[in-house]
């Protein structure tokens, strides 16, 4: 098996470490490597006794089922493929198996080396991780969404690995991510498509549509044309109507020569009943097609029925819960500047921040910003409100004490009821007494709660803000 040709960088280093041990081990055949990985899965206790390895990836091999062992094709891709191996667990298992076949005395050290190498490659520049598949140009409309949701992300590495492992070990299937509003579904999928540039995607977001714009992610024609462009990049998609729907049904039913992952975020944001997606997603997917859906949790009711699917149609369901203290520490260490890096090493502060936030990812984003800018410190954290609504009450009470409080209320009220982002010129025209300079000041005062979707267009950065304001009005 020849080594993959990869430019210098984290992915090159990971592949080089694996291939070096492959050569040192013989090189062994795929059957020999597969047999050694099976031994790890079936005799985990003996392996731990010999090596003192305690890594999560090795523990995940403990179920002893044949399905948990990477296939020979997966092993071939881990060693010889030019892209990042999608399963970190499988990559570590192959690395440890090669270390044992090569007679290395500390495979636990190898496991940690491969684990860290995979993590570094996963967060590297997308162009370095894997070449992107040809895709339609409509994907560029989501660039600002991807940038926003990749800014501060932590605590979901396990969910990312679970999704990639499922795709790597199956030949097709539906995956479903759900969770409470603000618990990071869109962020998880945005990070995932950045890590895996070959994934196809569409984000159904009310916050990113523009009235009268060239692309509206909440409309059926724009959704179908975007997906058809990506699924069949070398064939022009019909402009709309029945022809476009028929084309989508054709391409989504066709077997594919290589694994293809289509990410469809926020299917619950289709603001029609019944959903226009009903009947467009086949119960059984063709070979090599995976569709990853997301929606808000709705108690005992599943949104899947709105798109013509049932829980039994889903091969993997990932429900996002609150973040744990380790994720809070990671956010402080990497996304809260020098102040956060120092406080991330203080267990008491991390625990207090976790208790205040209750692990709510959306609330944590703002608390981490407060730490970064010196507004939240060990001295005042005990006075920080527990829960997002009391926190917002406090934030907007401060705004109401300013000289421009009426302008704040007018601008935010218009953004609240607007059908999509509002342009700067619309705000200046609709608010009496609002000048360009005063609007700039209002935007600076509330910018952390807004999303700037164009050069001069504003909307709320999340539905939870709209829900908060609707309760207060």
């Amino acid at each position: 098996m020849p080594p993959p040709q990869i430019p210098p960088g984290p992915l090159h280093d990971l592949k080089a470490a694996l291939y070096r041990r492959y050569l040192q081990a013989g090189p062994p055949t795929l059957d020999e490597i597969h047999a050694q990985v099976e031994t790890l899965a079936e005799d985990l206790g003996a392996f731990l006794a010999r090596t003192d390895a305690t890594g999560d990836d090795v523990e995940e091999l403990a179920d002893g089922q044949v399905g948990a062992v990477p296939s020979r094709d997966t092993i071939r891709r881990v060693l010889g493929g030019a892209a990042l191996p999608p399963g970190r667990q499988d990559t570590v298992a192959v690395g440890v198996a090669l270390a044992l076949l090569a007679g290395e005395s500390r495979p636990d050290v190898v496991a940690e080396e491969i684990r860290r190498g995979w993590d570094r490659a996963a967060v590297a520049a997308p162009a370095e991780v894997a070449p992107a598949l040809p895709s339609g140009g409509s994907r560029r409309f989501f660039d600002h969404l991807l940038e926003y949701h990749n800014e501060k992300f932590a605590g979901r590495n396990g969910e990312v690995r679970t999704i990639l492992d499922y795709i790597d070990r199956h030949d097709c299937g539906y995956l479903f991510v759900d969770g409470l509003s603000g618990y990071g579904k869109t962020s998880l999928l945005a990070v995932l498509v950045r890590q895996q540039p070959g994934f196809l995607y569409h984000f159904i977001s009310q916050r990113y549509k523009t009235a009268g714009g060239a692309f509206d992610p909440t409309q059926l024609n724009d959704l179908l044309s975007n997906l058809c462009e990506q699924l069949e990049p070398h064939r022009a998609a019909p402009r709309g109507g029945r022809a476009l729907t028929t084309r989508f049904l054709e391409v989504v039913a066709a077997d594919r020569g290589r694994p293809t992952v289509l990410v469809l975020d926020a299917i619950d944001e289709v603001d029609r009943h019944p959903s226009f997606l009903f009947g467009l997603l086949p119960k059984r997917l063709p070979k090599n097609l995976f569709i990853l859906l997301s929606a808000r949790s709705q108690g005992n009711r599943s949104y899947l029925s709105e798109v013509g699917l049932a829980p039994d149609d889903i091969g993997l369901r990932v429900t996002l819960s609150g973040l744990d203290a380790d994720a809070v520490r990671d956010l402080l260490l990497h996304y809260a500047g020098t102040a956060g890096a120092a406080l991330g090493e203080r267990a008491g502060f991390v625990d207090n921040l976790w208790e205040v936030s209750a692990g709510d990812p959306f609330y944590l984003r703002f608390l981490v910003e407060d730490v970064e800018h010196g507004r939240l410190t060990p001295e005042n954290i005990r006075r920080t409100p527990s829960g997002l609504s009391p926190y917002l009450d406090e934030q907007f009470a401060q705004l109401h004490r300013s000289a421009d409080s009426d302008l704040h209320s007018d601008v935010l009220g218009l953004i609240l009821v607007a059908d999509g982002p509002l342009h700067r010129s619309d705000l200046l025209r609709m608010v009496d007494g609002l000048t360009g300079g005063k609007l700039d000041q209002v935007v600076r005062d509330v910018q952390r709660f807004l999303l700037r979707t164009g050069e001069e267009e504003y909307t709320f950065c999340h539905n939870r803000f709209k829900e908060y304001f609707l309760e207060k009005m």
Side-chain angles (χ1 to χ4, degrees), residues 83-306:
L84 176 70
R88 186 175 82 155
Q89 170 186 325
D90 291 339
T91 307
V92 173
V94 171
V96 171
L98 292 172
L100 293 173
L101 290 170
E104 294 193 37
S105 59
R106 291 297 304 274
D108 57 311
V109 176
V110 176
E112 182 62 20
E113 176 190 345
I114 301 301
R115 186 162 37 246
R116 291 183 182 277
W118 193 96
D119 288 342
R120 284 192 294 268
V123 299
E128 178 184 304
V129 172
L133 295 174
S135 63
S138 296
R139 297 207 316 182
R140 71 181 184 274
F141 288 101
F142 297 110
D143 286 350
H144 52 298
L145 179 150
L146 299 180
E147 290 171 7
Y148 176 81
H149 285 282
N150 274 265
E151 284 178 359
K152 292 179 173 66
F153 183 81
R156 302 299 190 196
N157 289 336
E159 286 84 353
V160 169
R161 292 202 305 273
T162 297
I163 291 169
L164 294 177
D165 286 346
Y166 179 88
I167 293 168
D168 196 45
R169 291 175 174 173
H170 295 78
D171 60 4
C172 65
Y174 282 104
L175 303 86
F176 182 52
V177 175
D178 66 341
L180 297 176
S181 177
Y183 267 51
K185 298 178 294 297
T186 297
S187 293
L188 172 65
L189 300 187
V191 168
L192 192 61
V193 300
R194 274 287 175 89
Q195 290 183 5
Q196 304 291 328
F199 283 15
L200 318 180
Y201 54 85
H202 186 97
F203 292 80
I204 305 173
S205 176
Q206 298 287 339
R207 297 181 300 284
Y208 288 86
K209 68 178 183 178
T210 303
F215 182 78
D216 185 342
T218 68
Q219 294 299 311
L220 177 62
N221 279 349
D222 286 332
L223 182 151
L224 293 183
S225 62
N226 179 38
L227 296 182
C228 285
E229 286 174 2
Q230 297 179 70
L231 288 164
E232 286 194 328
H234 303 300
R235 185 183 180 193
R239 288 184 175 273
R242 180 179 298 179
L244 179 58
T245 301
T246 301
R247 173 69 60 80
F248 177 77
L249 292 173
E250 290 175 354
V251 298
V252 83
D255 287 342
R256 311 190 71 81
R258 57 180 296 174
T260 300
V261 181
L262 191 160
V263 174
L264 188 54
D265 178 53
I267 57 176
D268 56 300
E269 289 205 33
V270 174
D271 56 358
R272 297 182 185 179
H273 182 78
S275 169
F276 57 57
L277 292 172
F278 190 90
L280 296 183
L281 301 175
K283 287 277 192 177
R284 286 181 169 273
L285 292 175
K287 182 179 179 181
N288 280 332
L289 180 61
F290 299 86
I291 298 183
L292 172 53
L293 308 168
S294 77
R296 284 175 292 178
S297 298
Q298 299 185 342
N300 294 327
R301 176 176 171 268
S302 173
Y303 193 85
L304 292 170
S305 61
E306 296 289 324

